[in-house]
Amino acid sequence: MSIEEQIKIIQFGQGICPEAELLEQLDQLDESEKGKQVFDLYVFVSRLKPADADIGQAIADADIGPDYSPCISPKSGTRKVWRKMFSEHPEKDYMFLLRLFKIDYQRRYALNKDNATNWQYRDLSNRETVEAILKQYENLVEEVYQNPSFRSEFVCIAKLWHERSMQPPTQIRQDHYTYLTYDELLTESIKLLGNLQIHPISMLCHSIEQALSIKYGLDHGLANRLTLEVIDRHMRETYNSSIYK
């Protein structure tokens, strides 16, 4: 999720951006892009660790039917988080996640709206505030990109990512399943573990995210997004490609 998309979601949480606008944007995407959009929101919301009691309320607020199976749900007294693979109803998933986010965010906003150190609780109805946030983020990307302490790691990840992207795509068997079966999930996981680039990329990204979190006081989500932005810049400038393609 880009910084612009996150601002839009938080504006929705503050009651500034109407839900209809976000749903209309989702509706304009193809099925693959819809799935990515829903999953990005799923990751964003799940990191907030919303209360289990909010889940039923979000389903009721979204008016998506009593038979809807949420992609974030409580189980056995603890939160059970899982990803719906190839969902047949991405609009319902997206609407549910929006409502769940809004319930959780408004609770946090009431407690933190005077906290000027966290941009997520600033008044995002102010255009100058939004522009300042975007500029600050742009400057942070530039600073990290130019920082020699991280450069060798980013160059290495970009090289590994490029080499991986040059490999022939894996042919995925198509059948009637809406979700991956357990055996299919296990098989695909083993393939990923055997990939020569996946493990070092994951290890290096995790290391950099930890370092950025400590150095700049970032939460996990922002450190992850910042890492991907800088990797993508190296990819574009060195290989004329992108991690988002």
Side-chain angles (χ1 to χ4, degrees), residues 47-93:
R47 282 176 179 161
L48 298 177
K49 299 181 179 179
D52 291 338
D54 295 337
I55 294 171
Q57 184 62 52
I59 294 175
D61 288 350
D63 193 24
I64 49 183
D67 296 330
Y68 173 73
S69 179
C71 46
I72 298 180
S73 62
K75 184 177 181 181
S76 303
T78 59
R79 182 173 298 101
K80 174 72 173 179
V81 179
W82 50 280
R83 178 183 177 183
K84 297 170 88 172
M85 305 296 292
F86 313 120
S87 173
E88 293 181 334
H89 305 288
E91 295 83 3
K92 287 187 176 182
D93 289 334

Side-chain angles (χ1 to χ4, degrees), residues 175-193:
D175 51 36
H176 67 281
Y177 294 115
T178 301
Y179 304 100
L180 288 180
T181 66
Y182 178 80
D183 289 339
E184 288 174 320
L185 182 60
L186 183 61
T187 299
E188 295 304 316
S189 297
I190 290 173
K191 289 179 182 179
L192 287 176
L193 289 173

